[in-house]
Amino acid sequence: MIQLIVSILLFLVIFFGLAFILNMLLRRTWLMTLIYPIIVLMIVDNISTIEYFKNPAASFSTAFSNLMNVTLVDIIILISGFVGTIISGIVIKILRKSGYQMF
């Protein structure tokens, strides 16, 4: 149970930070939120990225079957990362409205 709580907080903070930095650099508020499903697929699939180009049909089939076999605990942890990206977008919007030009 403690590992679940730590994992949730870790994914939330990591993806908040990544999205925040990406938002500052590229000035695209919701970019990381749009990219996050691709990152989840890369975490879950256990397939080399090169395989998607060599054999796309089998790679996507394997990736989506692996995605369907994810446990509830893993889903909760991955959703916390997605929530981190959403919170980052909201924080960036608030900072921009407050007058911070670098955001």
Side-chain angles (χ1 to χ4, degrees):
M1 189 66 174
I2 292 175
Q3 290 175 343
L4 176 64
I5 294 169
V6 170
S7 297
I8 289 171
L9 288 174
L10 185 66
F11 262 66
L12 187 98
V13 169
I14 286 173
F15 282 102
F16 173 84
L18 288 173
F20 194 85
I21 291 170
L22 194 64
N23 287 334
M24 282 194 310
L25 294 175
L26 300 178
R27 295 189 52 89
R28 304 279 184 244
T29 306
W30 302 110
L31 180 65
M32 186 64 178
T33 306
L34 297 174
I35 295 173
Y36 189 74
I38 297 168
I39 294 171
V40 167
L41 189 63
M42 291 173 73
I43 291 171
V44 174
D45 67 358
N46 294 326
I47 300 171
S48 172
T49 306
I50 296 172
E51 288 298 317
Y52 286 106
F53 298 106
K54 288 182 179 177
N55 193 1
S59 297
F60 281 108
S61 175
T62 304
F64 287 118
S65 68
N66 288 346
L67 191 62
M68 293 299 132
N69 293 330
V70 175
T71 63
L72 180 63
V73 173
D74 293 330
I75 292 171
I76 292 170
I77 293 169
L78 292 170
I79 287 174
S80 70
F82 186 66
V83 169
T85 63
I86 293 172
I87 293 171
S88 173
I90 293 169
V91 169
I92 289 287
K93 286 274 192 189
I94 291 170
L95 288 172
R96 284 185 186 143
K97 282 185 180 180
S98 297
Y100 289 95
Q101 295 300 319
M102 65 181 283
F103 300 110

